[in-house]
Amino acid sequence: MNWMRDYVRPTLRAVFKRSDDSEEVKWHSCKKCGQMIYRRDFVAAQYVCPQCDHHERIGPQERFDALFDEGVYQLIDMPRGMDDPLKFRDKKKYADRLKESRSKTDRQEAISAATGKLAGQRTVIAVQDFAFMAGSLGVGAGDAFLVAVREAIAENAPFVMFTAAGGARMQEGILSLMQMPRTTVALELLREAGLPYIVVLTDPTTGGVTASYAMLGDIQISEPGALIGFAGPRVIEDTIREQLPEGFQRAEYLLEHGMIDMVVHRHELRDTLAGIISLLIDQRRAGGDLPLLANASSGA
Amino acid sequence: MVSFLEFEKPVAELERRINDLRTLSDAGDVDVVDDIIRLEKKLANLLESTYGGLSAWQKTMVARHPQRPHLEDYIGGLIEEFTPLAGDRGFAEDPAIIGGLGRFRGRSVVVLGNQKGRDTESRLKHNFGMARPEGYRKAIRLMQLADRFNLPVITFVDTSGAYPGIGAEERGQAEAIARSTQTCLQLGVPLISTVVGEGGSGGAVALASGNRVIMFEHAIYSVISPEGCASILWRTSDHAEDAANALKLTAQDLKKLGVIDRIVGEPLGGAHRQPTDAVTSLGDAIAESLQELQAMSADELRRDRREKFLSLGSAGVA
């Protein structure tokens, strides 16, 4: 029952949105080049700076709105899973950190998923939200990944995963680590169903997330400039006591080193995804081998 | 000579006294046999009480003990005709992960494990057991070899984690780990994973996604090292002890959480005190686990692994 999420919260949000008229929210300052951008233009440009092309981090809703045909989609219901399995506490209780993230993002967990049509093709898209505890992968996010994959299989639909995470969620200890093999098993099920798995790496994707489902796509796409790696840059610097080369662990660097298929601008992303999916599922849609020669169908 | 950990000081003191008495007794000056027997009994009790109630942080120290049995001890004690196989066929040989063919209790198997090294030279050679992508790619290659020839795979995990370096990143550390985990899960042969010392993060998962996961009594297995966790969440590594407790990284915690299948007891005072006994106990546990899986078909083995890892989530979501 998502009455709270689907009705009450959006309504409250709409009420508070009126304050958007203030000067402060009217303008966005690019985090990279500092350019002042009229917010409405920034949103229309899918949060890409018109001056320097910096791709601002965005959340699930922005992705779904931009990708699904006419912005129409259905959120996939996520189970209300176990919270704080270890009763973890550092300087602060993990339970409180979770609560904060939930009220800040209006989301239950770091991964949200939706089903809808992408250029006419039924597709399941899941998005990891960096704003939710750095997108970290814990049991709840693992649950969400699994549920999204199961939905794709049930709907006979390709699965597109947008990754963004600092890594595994430390506060869930070993259970967060176990989401690496768990999500990998989910991908085995998808593979057996013959459905494409497309990964879009977004800024930043590191740690146990990169070392599991984020690197196992049939196709690996990245947004420009995204930081992608196993170890974070600071950890590496501390280990080797050397400064890292320019552009290290950025999308373009990974492309150059053969780790991804392509770097795609956010404005081209929808068309690229639609094209790849259509090419990959061609045989599946045709229900068998397509004749390659014009006369093959005549039974010669 | 056993080297002592901080919390073992009373043990060290007692052992010193026993040794002193032995010297006296050997010299034949006085009859101290009764005293020695009494002190040895006391020592056993002290070891039992100390090791019976180790904290998570103390276990971390034991798991990293420089004299703890290492891969060469397990291979030496359990694997006959060990034939090491090198290289990932793409770039390099990574000595942080050792792998090869051999015979375990009469049966041909593929063995993989982290090699930490014992002295400065060998530690450097094996990069302290921290693998680079080539190590994981070699593991993938050998696991697939095992699959083709229907040989069970046994892994010995003992690493603080995968190596964080420029070259490792450049050559796809994350991808190599992800594929190694995936390969573990795809195998149509039994995969027995043992965490014998430290199981550090994704670098451990890549070799530990087995049908059965076995841990030594004082081994640890964690998403992040206590020091790393403390420096992120407490902003200082001084809180490593608090982090170790909070992370629930002991074999006992992991068994409770359903993450591992079996705990192998260690000799009194830790595996490093009686390495041969420790190696044999582990061998027995591996043999029993292999026995359990023997009758399963390739599909059943895959299903067994899938169900095991899918179940490590919220109730009802699998």
Side-chain angles (χ1 to χ4, degrees):
Chain A
M1 179 63 216
N2 287 311
W3 180 77
M4 278 293 286
R5 187 186 70 201
D6 295 342
Y7 180 73
V8 178
R9 282 182 180 160
T11 311
L12 279 174
R13 244 194 322 228
V15 170
F16 286 115
K17 267 211 172 124
R18 279 182 205 149
S19 62
D20 277 8
D21 290 343
S22 73
E23 281 305 303
E24 200 186 319
V25 252
K26 254 189 197 165
W27 294 90
H28 170 82
S29 153
C30 174
K31 289 203 181 105
K32 195 170 174 203
C33 72
Q35 171 81 11
M36 296 299 287
I37 314 153
Y38 195 49
R39 180 163 278 279
R40 204 174 294 167
D41 294 342
F42 189 50
V43 172
Q46 292 187 60
Y47 306 84
V48 176
C49 173
Q51 171 93 357
C52 73
D53 239 9
H54 173 65
H55 285 50
E56 185 56 66
R57 291 171 186 171
I58 57 175
Q61 199 189 334
E62 290 78 13
R63 293 284 178 196
F64 298 148
D65 287 347
L67 293 166
F68 285 112
D69 296 351
E70 279 95 45
V72 178
Y73 56 88
Q74 216 184 337
L75 285 172
I76 297 170
D77 261 346
M78 291 303 170
R80 189 110 206 202
M82 58 163 92
D83 279 353
D84 194 12
L86 306 184
K87 305 279 166 256
F88 193 98
R89 140 168 239 161
D90 47 86
K91 280 167 142 178
K92 217 165 160 183
K93 275 194 202 154
Y94 169 48
D96 293 339
R97 286 186 197 265
L98 255 183
K99 226 179 277 170
E100 266 168 45
S101 270
R102 281 178 181 157
S103 71
K104 188 181 83 177
T105 61
D106 224 355
R107 252 178 272 288
Q108 189 63 22
E109 253 301 336
I111 293 180
S112 303
T115 166
K117 290 201 166 168
L118 197 155
Q121 165 65 47
R122 169 68 56 185
T123 305
V124 170
I125 300 178
V127 180
Q128 208 154 0
D129 188 0
F130 195 76
F132 192 104
M133 294 196 75
S136 55
L137 175 65
V139 171
D143 289 346
F145 187 91
L146 187 55
V147 167
V149 168
R150 294 253 190 229
E151 181 70 24
I153 295 170
E155 295 192 41
N156 201 17
F159 180 52
V160 180
M161 178 72 212
F162 285 77
T163 65
R169 191 171 299 164
M170 279 178 288
Q171 294 92 340
E172 295 186 14
I174 193 75
L175 290 172
S176 73
L177 193 68
M178 289 302 113
Q179 302 313 305
M180 293 173 66
R182 186 166 180 242
T183 51
T184 307
V185 171
L187 293 175
E188 291 297 297
L189 305 177
L190 191 73
R191 181 184 286 217
E192 263 173 21
L195 294 162
Y197 172 48
I198 301 176
V199 175
V200 184
L201 298 146
T202 74
D203 186 64
T205 301
T206 59
V209 169
T210 322
S212 58
Y213 57 84
M215 277 292 160
L216 294 173
D218 294 306
I219 307 288
Q220 296 281 131
I221 299 174
S222 175
E223 285 200 327
L227 178 84
I228 304 155
F230 175 62
R234 250 188 317 170
V235 175
I236 300 174
E237 271 178 340
D238 288 350
T239 308
I240 62 170
R241 309 205 178 275
E242 250 180 76
Q243 239 195 325
L244 300 172
E246 176 81 18
F248 181 64
Q249 295 184 315
R250 297 286 166 187
E252 296 73 15
Y253 177 93
L254 269 84
L255 181 69
E256 202 181 303
H257 286 87
M259 298 316 302
I260 55 176
D261 291 289
M262 57 187 91
V263 177
V264 178
H265 193 287
R266 194 173 288 164
H267 295 166
E268 314 289 330
L269 198 50
R270 188 172 183 279
D271 286 350
T272 305
L273 285 171
I276 289 171
I277 289 171
S278 152
L279 289 167
L280 283 176
I281 62 169
D282 193 44
Q283 289 282 333
R284 189 181 181 87
R285 202 154 35 189
D289 286 344
L290 292 171
L292 280 176
L293 301 170
N295 62 355
S297 56
S298 66
Chain B
M1 182 71 197
V2 178
S3 55
F4 291 96
L5 299 166
E6 184 64 28
F7 67 86
E8 290 178 314
K9 271 190 180 151
V11 175
E13 173 58 24
L14 208 50
E15 285 203 353
R16 193 187 54 76
R17 276 171 59 197
I18 293 170
N19 281 334
D20 288 351
L21 282 178
R22 281 221 179 92
T23 318
L24 271 179
S25 163
D26 288 349
D29 293 349
V30 268
D31 186 10
V32 284
V33 174
D34 286 350
D35 285 337
I36 293 179
I37 291 173
R38 188 177 53 81
L39 285 181
E40 276 182 337
K41 207 166 173 188
K42 201 172 162 193
L43 176 69
N45 286 338
L46 184 63
L47 272 176
E48 201 169 310
S49 64
T50 306
Y51 270 78
L54 292 185
S55 71
W57 179 242
Q58 289 168 333
K59 277 180 188 281
T60 305
M61 299 291 103
V62 176
R64 295 173 180 168
H65 196 289
Q67 286 165 326
R68 198 170 172 81
H70 281 178
L71 184 66
E72 69 263 29
D73 303 301
Y74 300 110
I75 289 179
L78 299 174
I79 309 295
E80 285 159 10
E81 293 175 53
F82 181 64
T83 310
L85 300 171
D88 73 336
R89 300 296 182 272
F91 182 76
E93 154 66 1
D94 181 357
I97 291 179
I98 300 293
L101 293 162
R103 217 173 270 288
F104 171 73
R105 303 205 171 165
R107 189 166 172 186
S108 183
V109 293
V110 162
V111 177
L112 284 163
N114 302 99
Q115 178 63 290
K116 276 187 165 178
R118 202 52 93 187
D119 49 28
T120 310
E121 196 189 338
S122 65
R123 280 186 190 129
L124 285 173
K125 180 184 166 202
H126 297 287
N127 199 30
F128 303 84
M130 292 186 288
R132 296 184 165 89
E134 296 72 39
Y136 296 108
R137 293 189 177 123
K138 174 170 68 183
I140 293 168
R141 186 172 75 79
L142 298 187
M143 285 193 272
Q144 288 171 343
L145 178 81
D147 208 15
R148 284 201 298 283
F149 291 94
N150 200 22
L151 309 176
V153 180
I154 303 171
T155 65
F156 299 95
V157 175
D158 191 10
T159 181
S160 57
Y163 184 64
I166 293 180
E169 292 290 323
E170 199 172 23
R171 302 191 301 276
Q173 184 72 292
E175 195 265 357
I177 292 170
R179 293 268 174 234
S180 186
T181 308
Q182 188 181 45
T183 307
C184 286
L185 296 165
Q186 287 172 340
L187 293 178
V189 292
L191 170 58
I192 311 283
S193 305
T194 67
V195 180
V196 291
E198 277 183 281
S201 194
V205 171
L207 297 181
S209 301
N211 294 86
R212 297 286 184 274
V213 184
I214 301 172
M215 264 177 95
F216 259 136
E217 187 184 350
H218 304 308
I220 59 164
Y221 188 9
S222 179
V223 63
I224 186 169
S225 71
E227 292 89 339
C229 178
S231 70
I232 296 171
L233 292 180
W234 279 266
R235 308 239 168 245
T236 158
S237 54
D238 298 347
H239 282 271
E241 198 167 344
D242 297 324
N245 281 324
L247 282 167
K248 303 267 192 295
L249 43 65
T250 69
Q252 293 70 28
D253 286 325
L254 268 67
K255 181 81 170 47
K256 240 179 268 164
L257 291 166
V259 171
I260 62 163
D261 302 285
R262 185 176 182 142
I263 299 175
V264 176
E266 293 185 26
L268 192 56
H272 57 282
R273 285 176 175 269
Q274 307 289 341
T276 316
D277 293 352
V279 170
T280 306
S281 311
L282 187 70
D284 293 345
I286 294 171
E288 279 171 35
S289 297
L290 271 178
Q291 190 71 34
E292 287 164 21
L293 302 170
Q294 205 161 28
M296 290 169 109
S297 70
D299 278 342
E300 283 168 338
L301 287 164
R302 273 188 282 267
R303 198 175 319 129
D304 172 73
R305 242 176 268 124
R306 284 180 184 185
E307 282 167 7
K308 171 187 172 68
F309 289 101
L310 283 178
S311 75
L312 294 173
S314 300
V317 191

